[in-house]
Amino acid sequence: MLINTKLPLDSDRLQKQDQTLCLAGMTWIDYEKFDSEEYPGYRVSYFDGVITLVSPSKNHERIAQTIAILVSAYCRKFSLLYFPLGSTRLENKPLAGKEPDVSFAFNTDKDIPDLAIEVIFSSGSLDDLNKYQAIGVNEVWFWRNNKITFYQLQKEYRKISTSKLLPNLSSKTLENFVNQSLTKSPLAIEADFLQQI
């Protein structure tokens, strides 16, 4: 956790919210020094001289994992080859680096995923699209305030209502199931999801 819980802060609230630290005036070389082995549990990104470290909350992780489970279920149902890349560090040196919450390549394994998914619980922003554009990720999904928005990279990202990668899936449908993740087991959510798509 980035903030010491011995501070006079509500530790329960800290457990439910992401902890974020932004370091300005940084270089790509500084970014490369942040090793996942030294900073386990943190997601690190770099863009425009700013390094951002995020320690995801329990709720953040639950939502991200539910989305990953539903994407995997979709692929199994429609026999779409998929290669989960998780939070693998993505880079376009020295412009941008990002560790998504969840990511997938489809049809063939790739170094840069076709899909990156971000949960904006109490950290992150749509500015992450700039990082993903510099890296060249085809489609990015954001969950924020109980809404899921899909973006497809053309010359820049454009909002779309139905995924181009998973064509039977709309953002509205996915949103309805993902928003159950804080109160229901992914097993029950997945069963209902597979019946609807």
Side-chain angles (χ1 to χ4, degrees):
M1 185 177 283
L2 294 172
I3 297 175
N4 185 337
T5 56
K6 293 182 181 179
L7 293 172
L9 299 171
D10 181 345
S11 61
D12 185 51
R13 183 169 51 96
L14 290 177
Q15 292 296 322
K16 293 178 182 171
Q17 294 183 346
D18 301 342
Q19 301 302 305
T20 305
L21 176 65
C22 294
L23 306 169
M26 300 288 107
T27 66
W28 183 263
I29 293 168
D30 296 324
Y31 169 66
E32 288 182 323
K33 292 177 184 174
F34 282 92
D35 186 309
S36 60
E37 289 180 15
E38 282 188 58
Y39 299 91
Y42 291 92
R43 305 243 167 76
V44 184
S45 64
Y46 175 83
F47 187 73
D48 201 22
V50 177
I51 295 173
T52 304
L53 287 88
V54 177
S55 176
S57 66
K58 178 177 86 171
N59 290 341
H60 181 130
E61 293 287 51
R62 186 171 287 167
I63 292 164
Q65 287 306 306
T66 299
I67 295 171
I69 289 166
L70 296 180
V71 169
S72 299
Y74 176 103
C75 292
R76 286 191 308 273
K77 179 172 181 170
F78 293 102
S79 299
L80 174 62
L81 291 176
Y82 69 102
F83 301 86
L85 297 167
S87 295
T88 300
R89 182 176 280 194
L90 310 174
E91 298 179 343
N92 181 0
K93 185 177 181 175
L95 300 175
K98 184 80 175 97
E99 295 171 0
D101 289 314
V102 178
S103 61
F104 291 90
F106 299 105
N107 297 313
T108 60
D109 197 3
K110 306 171 182 89
D111 291 332
I112 300 297
D114 297 301
L115 172 64
I117 300 163
E118 288 292 327
V119 174
I120 303 174
F121 207 87
S122 51
S123 70
S125 71
L126 294 180
D127 290 340
D128 284 339
L129 282 175
N130 294 328
K131 297 171 190 173
Y132 285 120
Q133 184 170 348
I135 294 166
V137 176
N138 290 331
E139 200 165 296
V140 180
W141 300 353
F142 285 95
W143 179 95
R144 182 180 190 179
N145 297 327
N146 298 319
K147 300 284 183 197
I148 293 181
T149 309
F150 293 171
Y151 293 90
Q152 182 191 32
L153 183 59
Q154 294 162 11
K155 289 186 179 179
E156 56 189 37
Y157 284 104
R158 302 270 188 229
K159 195 183 291 190
I160 55 175
S161 59
T162 301
S163 172
K164 302 300 180 191
L165 298 168
L166 309 177
N168 296 311
L169 186 59
S170 72
S171 57
K172 255 320 183 209
T173 298
L174 185 61
E175 180 180 292
N176 290 334
F177 291 100
V178 171
N179 288 339
Q180 299 172 35
S181 65
L182 297 178
T183 58
K184 289 175 73 174
S185 164
L187 188 62
I189 295 168
E190 180 180 348
D192 293 341
F193 173 75
L194 286 171
Q195 285 184 346
Q196 185 165 330
I197 59 171

